[in-house]
Amino acid sequence: MQDAAPVLMVTALLLGGTVSLAGEAPLPLPIPEPVTGPGITGTVLRYPALASQHVTARNVDVWLPPGYASDDGRRYPVLYMHDGQNVFDPATAYGHVDWGVDETMTRLIAAGEVRPAIVVAVWSSPRRREEYMPQRALRGPLR
């Protein structure tokens, strides 16, 4: 199966540098764990506690489109989503109802309505409000 590491490298950069740009040794990528169970459609890999220099380590889930494993040379667009714990898995979603992105993407790809794409779901942390609405950028330190 084709590895999702290149997508995780980009995700790591967005989260703040699991990949080193300053010549330092990069932090290792965690080993992905397959996510299976009721409500999961297709291939979902969970990278537990992905480290960052800017935000708290958090899980990152990656959904791979149908046919991903059999087409080594193909390039895919990537859709990044916040609140990743809610995106694919009812077991981790708020109220145990996920957003159904895996089912929706599978259906739309099969109907030819969207191109196959990788979906990267970055989990939020207990500091979700502060991370999504940084007052410091607008008014100085958080109070």
Side-chain angles (χ1 to χ4, degrees), residues 50-77:
L50 187 63
S52 168
Q53 296 173 359
H54 302 286
V55 296
T56 306
R58 64 203 59 226
N59 295 340
V60 174
D61 291 348
V62 178
W63 179 83
L64 302 174
Y68 182 85
S70 63
D71 196 354
D72 288 340
R74 184 169 183 178
R75 297 176 64 108
Y76 292 85

Side-chain angles (χ1 to χ4, degrees), residues 20-85:
S20 175
L21 298 178
E24 298 174 8
L27 299 172
L29 284 175
I31 296 171
E33 303 166 352
V35 179
T36 59
I40 302 291
T41 300
T43 302
V44 177
L45 302 175
R46 177 161 300 144
Y47 289 79
L50 187 63
S52 168
Q53 296 173 359
H54 302 286
V55 296
T56 306
R58 64 203 59 226
N59 295 340
V60 174
D61 291 348
V62 178
W63 179 83
L64 302 174
Y68 182 85
S70 63
D71 196 354
D72 288 340
R74 184 169 183 178
R75 297 176 64 108
Y76 292 85
V78 180
L79 172 64
Y80 290 91
M81 301 190 76
H82 293 289
D83 295 328
Q85 69 277 5

